[in-house]
Amino acid sequence: MKPGRLGIGVIGAGRVGAVLGAALRAVGHSVVGVSAISEQSRDRAAALLPGVPLLEPAEIVERCELVVIAVPDDDLVPLVQGLADLKHWQTGQIVLHTSGRHGIAALAPAAARGAVCLAVHPVLAFTGMSLDLTRLTGAMVAVTAPAAFLPIAQALVVEMGAEPVALSEEEFPVVGGILARAREDIDRIVRQALRRLADQDLEEPARLAGPLVRAVLENALAAGPERPSTGFTGLTGPDGGRQ
């Protein structure tokens, strides 16, 4: 490896973990192992991290300088505690989780054994495919860590081509929750509209609705949080000419 490169292990080859592992591998870090339980996760690991061996979480912790934990929110705390109970965490080892629900408190058992703990939450809707690597470039990533370790989290994010946004331990889960709700609401509303369009026997409802959805989102983002909703202003058709 190049000087300053780390041996990385990824616990959880879900949509997020495999992509972040691939992004760090692309800048010269070595991915030593990845844990993947489901067949879908194993396929994803094979596609995004070819040649990387499948290992158990305990093996990853024992072998790696940087451990990326990208498991479901509910699994994070029990996993970290279980590995601590078995005395796997190591002094000076970097442990990074990607959950938006938890700050670094979720990694307290690892910190108690001397690990450097970071919370790093990319603000993206991941697909688990290679196109996420392109989307990661320039994306915003929420980070929190003890002050002495915050530069490490920020440097890793920058290496992945993204932009870090430092949050306090208290802000981190609040912001993560707001963004998760926004993602869920947008997904639900758009899918509902597509289903209704499909019910009209339209062959390509996504092609029809796509420009509108993208324009509405961009207009809302450009207007900012203080500007009140203007309803259908700017659209053609019924009510589209209201002032």
Side-chain angles (χ1 to χ4, degrees), residues 203-220:
E203 293 184 0
E204 298 182 275
R207 184 178 179 186
L208 176 63
L212 169 64
V213 171
R214 285 187 284 270
V216 169
L217 287 174
E218 297 219 355
N219 288 347

Side-chain angles (χ1 to χ4, degrees), residues 3 16 21 26 40 43 47 60-61 71 90 96 101 103-104 110 169 176-177 190 203 218 221 236 239:
V16 179
Q40 186 177 27
D43 289 344
I60 288 174
V61 174
V71 298
Q90 305 168 47
L96 177 161
R101 183 191 298 176
I104 53 173
E169 176 73 353
V190 172
E203 293 184 0
E218 297 219 355
L221 291 169
T236 59
D239 297 324

Side-chain angles (χ1 to χ4, degrees), residues 183-199:
R183 181 179 63 245
E184 292 166 3
D185 287 349
I186 293 168
D187 182 75
R188 174 178 52 80
I189 292 169
V190 172
R191 287 180 182 274
Q192 183 181 64
L194 292 178
R195 283 195 296 269
R196 289 179 174 177
L197 289 171
D199 288 343

Side-chain angles (χ1 to χ4, degrees), residues 232 235-242:
F232 291 97
L235 302 182
T236 59
D239 297 324
R242 292 191 304 181

Side-chain angles (χ1 to χ4, degrees), residues 21-243:
L24 289 168
R25 191 187 202 187
V27 294
H29 295 287
S30 174
V31 181
V32 176
V34 57
S35 73
I37 297 175
S38 69
E39 182 177 352
Q40 186 177 27
S41 291
R42 291 192 291 270
D43 289 344
R44 188 178 294 115
L48 289 170
L49 298 169
V52 175
L54 296 177
L55 302 176
E56 293 296 320
E59 293 179 280
I60 288 174
V61 174
E62 290 171 354
R63 297 185 187 186
C64 298
E65 299 163 285
L66 167 60
V67 178
V68 176
I69 306 177
V71 298
D73 292 338
D74 292 339
D75 296 342
L76 176 60
V77 172
L79 172 68
V80 175
Q81 183 62 61
L83 291 167
D85 291 343
L86 295 173
K87 300 181 179 179
H88 287 304
W89 299 114
Q90 305 168 47
T91 300
Q93 184 175 46
I94 302 171
V95 185
L96 177 161
H97 81 69
T98 64
S99 169
R101 183 191 298 176
H102 302 282
I104 53 173
L107 301 175
R113 295 192 60 83
V116 174
C117 296
L118 319 171
V120 175
H121 179 61
V123 185
L124 283 174
F126 284 84
T127 65
M129 297 185 288
S130 58
L131 65 88
D132 290 337
L133 294 169
T134 301
R135 291 176 174 174
L136 189 59
T137 301
M140 307 301 288
V141 178
V143 299
T144 192
F149 303 144
L150 186 60
I152 299 174
Q154 293 170 320
L156 288 169
V157 170
V158 170
E159 280 198 301
M160 289 186 281
E163 184 174 343
V165 179
L167 301 175
S168 69
E169 176 73 353
E170 294 73 27
E171 291 171 328
F172 193 86
V174 174
V175 172
I178 293 170
L179 293 171
R181 179 62 184 271
R183 181 179 63 245
E184 292 166 3
D185 287 349
I186 293 168
D187 182 75
R188 174 178 52 80
I189 292 169
V190 172
R191 287 180 182 274
Q192 183 181 64
L194 292 178
R195 283 195 296 269
R196 289 179 174 177
L197 289 171
D199 288 343
Q200 303 304 310
D201 295 326
L202 294 170
E203 293 184 0
E204 298 182 275
R207 184 178 179 186
L208 176 63
L212 169 64
V213 171
R214 285 187 284 270
V216 169
L217 287 174
E218 297 219 355
N219 288 347
L221 291 169
E226 302 303 326
R227 182 176 176 180
S229 172
T230 56
F232 291 97
T233 299
L235 302 182
T236 59
D239 297 324
R242 292 191 304 181
Q243 299 299 316

